[in-house]
Amino acid sequence: MKFIKNKTLSNGSRLIIARLDLHILNHISDINLNPEELNKYRAITNEKRKCEFLSIRKTIQTVYDENEFITYSYHGKPNLAISGHKISISHSKGLLGILVHPTLEVGIDLQHESPKIIKIKNRFMSPSESEACKDEEWQLLTHWCAKEALYKYYSKGEVLFNKNLYLYPFDLAQSGKLTGKISMPDMLKELPMAYEIIEDTMVVYTMEEV
C-alpha cells in the first residue's frame, strides 16, 4: 500500500490516506481474510470494489497486525475486532481514507471534485447553509463530506442531512477546521472537525477531544 498520509492527530486519532492498489487482486494471498470477510469478498462482482475491499484490509493489517479484521455493529458501523478501536472508512476516485481512535467514535469522508454536487445540494443543505455557500462547489463538497462524517459518527441511521446535521459558517481554504452539529432525539452534540483538499479530493474528519 502507498500511504499519502499516516499520522497521529492531536486528539489521538490516526489518519490514514492511501492510494487504491489496482494490482492487489494479484496478491490476495498476502491478506488474511477470515471466513466472514472471504464470503463478503466472493460476493463482490465489480473488480474496483474488490480492490477497495482488499486495499482497506491490507491497510489495516499493515498498521495493526495481520490478524486484525473489521466487525460491524447492528447499525452497520465498523469497528476493529481485536484491538476494539473505533474506525471510519471512506474512498473516492482511487483514494482511501481511514480514521481510527482507541476509544472515541470517529467519522471520515472523501469526495472527489464534481460539479454534480450542485444539483443535489437541497438533499443535504439547510436553506441558511445553501444561501451562505452561493453554489460554490468546494463549499458544497465540504458540507457534503462533513455531514457524511457526522452521519458515520452518529451511525444509527434515520438522519436527514438537511435538518439533523449542520455546519457552522467557516472560511474555506486548502485546509482548516470547522464545527459540525448533530441534532437527533438521542444526541445533541457539537463536534470539532478538520478538512483538507488532497489531489482534487475533499477530506473531512471528526476531531473530538478525549
Side-chain angles (χ1 to χ4, degrees):
M1 295 300 301
K2 184 177 181 180
F3 290 172
I4 298 172
K5 285 183 179 289
N6 182 9
K7 65 178 184 179
T8 301
L9 306 177
S10 60
N11 72 339
S13 293
R14 189 166 190 168
L15 173 66
I16 302 166
I17 306 294
R19 204 174 303 283
L20 179 66
D21 185 352
L22 297 176
H23 303 290
I24 200 167
L25 298 181
N26 298 324
H27 307 285
I28 187 173
S29 59
D30 297 334
I31 305 170
N32 186 20
L33 298 179
N34 63 31
E36 181 180 356
E37 290 182 313
L38 188 57
N39 287 336
K40 287 183 178 180
Y41 173 76
R42 288 171 174 167
I44 300 171
T45 57
N46 181 277
E47 187 168 297
K48 184 181 178 183
R49 282 286 297 116
K50 284 187 174 184
C51 290
E52 291 169 348
F53 184 93
L54 294 177
S55 292
I56 289 166
R57 279 134 185 95
K58 179 62 176 178
T59 299
I60 290 169
Q61 291 175 10
T62 299
V63 172
Y64 287 83
D65 65 61
E66 63 180 14
N67 294 313
E68 187 63 273
F69 65 97
I70 301 171
T71 186
Y72 295 88
S73 72
Y74 171 80
H75 295 286
K77 184 175 179 62
N79 287 289
L80 294 182
I82 297 176
S83 65
H85 289 189
K86 311 294 185 180
I87 184 171
S88 183
I89 302 165
S90 184
H91 46 78
S92 181
K93 284 285 186 179
L95 293 185
L96 304 175
I98 297 175
L99 187 68
V100 293
H101 193 281
T103 59
L104 295 177
E105 297 293 351
V106 291
I108 186 173
D109 194 68
L110 278 63
Q111 180 61 55
H112 191 267
E113 178 272 333
S114 173
K116 294 180 180 179
I117 195 75
I118 296 173
K119 297 180 180 179
I120 63 169
K121 68 175 184 176
N122 291 333
R123 299 182 191 175
F124 64 92
M125 300 283 284
S126 69
S128 61
E129 290 172 326
S130 185
E131 173 65 23
C133 284
K134 304 295 184 183
D135 285 352
E136 203 287 313
E137 182 182 338
W138 284 102
Q139 281 275 2
L140 293 174
L141 283 170
T142 309
H143 276 75
W144 172 259
C145 289
K147 292 190 177 190
E148 279 283 352
L150 291 171
Y151 174 79
K152 293 174 182 178
Y153 176 98
Y154 176 68
S155 78
K156 298 177 184 178
E158 299 184 0
V159 176
L160 297 176
F161 279 37
N162 56 1
K163 293 183 178 180
N164 302 125
L165 306 177
Y166 179 79
L167 260 63
Y168 289 94
F170 62 96
D171 294 324
L172 184 67
Q174 184 71 23
S175 63
K177 296 184 178 180
L178 48 84
T179 301
K181 182 178 180 180
I182 300 171
S183 181
M184 293 294 290
D186 61 344
M187 182 181 288
L188 182 60
K189 189 166 191 172
E190 292 184 354
L191 278 170
M193 309 182 80
Y195 71 89
E196 57 185 304
I197 301 172
I198 300 175
E199 297 184 9
D200 291 330
T201 299
M202 177 57 73
V203 181
V204 187
Y205 47 90
T206 57
M207 282 285 289
E208 183 179 16
E209 295 296 333
V210 178

